[in-house]
Amino acid sequence: MVTIREIAEKSGVSIATVSNIMNNKGKASAETAERVRKVIEEMNYVPNAVAQNLKSKRSKSIGVIVEDMTIFSIPDVLDGITDYCDRQGYQVFLVNLRLFKNYCDTYYNQDFYYEKVHKEIHKLENLQVEGIIYVCAHEREIPVFPEDMNLPAVMAYGYSCRSNIPSVVVDDWDGMSQITECVLKAGHRKIGLITGKRDSMHAQARLIGFEETLFRYGGVMAPEMVQIGDWERKSGYDLTDRLLDQGATVIMCMNDLMAGGVYDRLEEKGLIPGRDISVTGYDDRQLSTYYRPPLTTVQLPLHDIGYRAGEVLLDMLYARYHGKKKTTGDDKSKEGPIYEIPCKLVVRKSLVKIE
C-alpha cells in the first residue's frame, strides 16, 4: 500500500505538505499542489480509512438491526439505508434477528425479544458504531431501545415511543386516500373493502384514509361493505362472495396478497377482474405485476424510508459532532420526531371505469 511518505519523497516535499494539500489546507503554491496531486494519481494512492478514523475518533460506521430479512418489506428498506450511507462514506454492520422466521408474530412484547435486541445493540457498541437503525417487520409501537443507550438511533418502519429517537414511517393514510380517490373517479360507488387485521396500525391508518376520502366525495362507509381480513391470500378468497352478494363493483384490498385471493375466487366463478369487476391492492409487491390482469395498487416507499432513516441518523451524528442540527422532524407526535413518507399510486388494468 502506498504511503504519504512515499508520495512526499517522489514529489520532493514534506509529509506535512502532502497532508495539507490532500486536506485542502496550508499555503502550498498552485504548482506544488498540482505536482503532488499528479503523483497521488500516478501512484494510485488510497487513504487509510482505519488510520483516519482513529485520528478523528470516528468509525464512519452504523449498525442496522432488522427483525427478519425474509419479510418482503425489509430488503428494500435496507437497500435505502445502504444507498444513503454509501454516498456518505459510511459502512453498515447488519444484524438479522430472524424473529419472524422462528416465532412468526408471537414475539411482540416478549421479554426474550427485548433481551435479544439489547444484546445485539451491546455487540454493535463494542464494534464502535456511531449510531443504530432498527428496521421493523411492520409498523407498530416498539419500545425496544434500552433507556441507558448513549448512541443516536432511528426507528425505520415503526414507532420508537422515545422522545429522542425519531421514527420514519409510511404515510398509509395518504396511500389509501390516493387509491380510494382513483376508484371514485372511475365511477365506483358500491365499493367493497377487505382490511388487514384489526390491531394493525397499517390497517387502521388505511381505513381512516378510505373513510375520509369517501366522505369527501359525499359517500358514507357502509359496514356491510367492509370485511375484516388477516393479510393472507385465503382471507381475500373467503371474503369475496360476501362483497359480491352486496353488489360491489370493485373490491379494494389492503394488500396485494388478499387481492390474489380475490382473483382466485373470481376465476372460480367465471368472473374476470378488470372486466366484470374491478380489484385493487396495496403494497405493489412484485407478484402484483404477474396477476392477470396486472393489479392496480399502491407502492410502498420502502427504499425511501430506508434512505430517509439513514439521512436522519447521519444528521443526528452531524449535530453531535458539530453542535448544530441539519434537519428537523415533522413533529407529528409528542413521542418524538416522526417522518411520514408518501406512497405512489400504480394504476394497472384491474381497475376500469364504469358509467
Side-chain angles (χ1 to χ4, degrees), residues 38 48 144 146 158 163 171 203 221 236 244 263 279 305 338:
K38 186 175 181 180
N48 187 320
V144 73
S163 61
D171 191 345
M221 188 171 70
L244 291 176
Y263 271 52
V279 183
I305 287 173
I338 295 176

Side-chain angles (χ1 to χ4, degrees), residues 235-246:
S235 69
Y237 176 93
D238 291 341
L239 296 171
T240 297
D241 282 357
R242 298 186 191 180
L243 295 173
L244 291 176
D245 290 344
Q246 295 297 327

Side-chain angles (χ1 to χ4, degrees), residues 274-305:
R275 189 192 71 179
D276 302 314
I277 184 171
S278 292
V279 183
T280 69
Y282 202 108
D283 293 344
D284 195 30
R285 297 177 70 162
Q286 187 175 13
L287 58 84
S288 67
T289 64
Y290 294 106
Y291 290 165
R292 291 292 175 266
L295 183 66
T296 292
T297 186
V298 173
Q299 185 180 88
L300 290 174
L302 299 173
H303 178 276
D304 293 346
I305 287 173

Side-chain angles (χ1 to χ4, degrees), residues 78-99:
L78 181 60
D79 183 57
I81 295 171
T82 55
D83 184 3
Y84 184 75
C85 288
D86 284 348
R87 294 168 186 260
Q88 303 303 317
Y90 269 74
Q91 62 179 326
V92 172
F93 290 102
L94 175 64
V95 175
N96 180 17
L97 298 175
R98 304 182 73 246
L99 293 168

Side-chain angles (χ1 to χ4, degrees), residues 118-136:
H118 294 175
K119 183 178 179 181
E120 297 301 332
I121 289 174
H122 183 65
K123 289 180 181 177
L124 289 170
E125 288 175 329
N126 287 339
L127 289 172
Q128 297 185 322
V129 299
E130 296 181 34
I132 292 175
I133 298 175
Y134 186 91
V135 183
C136 315

Side-chain angles (χ1 to χ4, degrees), residues 118-315:
H118 294 175
K119 183 178 179 181
E120 297 301 332
I121 289 174
H122 183 65
K123 289 180 181 177
L124 289 170
E125 288 175 329
N126 287 339
L127 289 172
Q128 297 185 322
V129 299
E130 296 181 34
I132 292 175
I133 298 175
Y134 186 91
V135 183
C136 315
H138 65 84
E139 288 182 6
R140 61 191 194 281
E141 294 182 347
I142 314 175
V144 73
F145 290 107
E147 293 290 337
D148 60 351
M149 190 178 76
N150 293 319
L151 289 178
V154 173
M155 182 77 71
Y157 210 47
Y159 295 86
S160 72
C161 305
R162 292 274 298 277
S163 61
N164 62 331
I165 299 179
S167 302
V168 183
V169 296
V170 60
D171 191 345
D172 269 315
W173 182 97
D174 165 72
M176 198 67 190
S177 179
Q178 287 187 56
I179 197 166
T180 303
E181 184 172 45
C182 183
V183 166
L184 289 164
K185 286 183 176 180
H188 295 275
R189 292 299 180 267
K190 295 288 287 184
I191 302 173
L193 178 66
I194 300 177
T195 75
K197 292 183 178 180
R198 293 180 186 273
D199 60 351
S200 164
M201 296 184 75
H202 292 290
Q204 292 165 9
R206 292 172 193 178
L207 187 61
I208 294 171
F210 172 77
E211 185 174 15
E212 290 184 353
T213 305
L214 197 63
F215 180 78
R216 198 165 68 244
Y217 276 76
V220 177
M221 188 171 70
E224 67 275 10
M225 300 298 285
V226 179
Q227 300 295 324
I228 309 300
D230 63 4
W231 303 120
E232 298 299 326
R233 189 171 185 130
K234 187 176 185 303
S235 69
Y237 176 93
D238 291 341
L239 296 171
T240 297
D241 282 357
R242 298 186 191 180
L243 295 173
L244 291 176
D245 290 344
Q246 295 297 327
T249 61
V250 57
I251 297 178
M252 300 180 67
C253 302
M254 284 194 181
N255 77 349
D256 296 341
L257 276 180
M258 293 189 296
V262 173
Y263 271 52
D264 295 338
R265 182 56 182 148
L266 292 177
E267 182 180 9
E268 288 182 355
K269 296 176 71 67
L271 299 174
I272 299 176
R275 189 192 71 179
D276 302 314
I277 184 171
S278 292
V279 183
T280 69
Y282 202 108
D283 293 344
D284 195 30
R285 297 177 70 162
Q286 187 175 13
L287 58 84
S288 67
T289 64
Y290 294 106
Y291 290 165
R292 291 292 175 266
L295 183 66
T296 292
T297 186
V298 173
Q299 185 180 88
L300 290 174
L302 299 173
H303 178 276
D304 293 346
I305 287 173
Y307 194 94
R308 186 68 173 126
E311 186 177 32
V312 170
L313 181 61
L314 267 59
D315 282 355

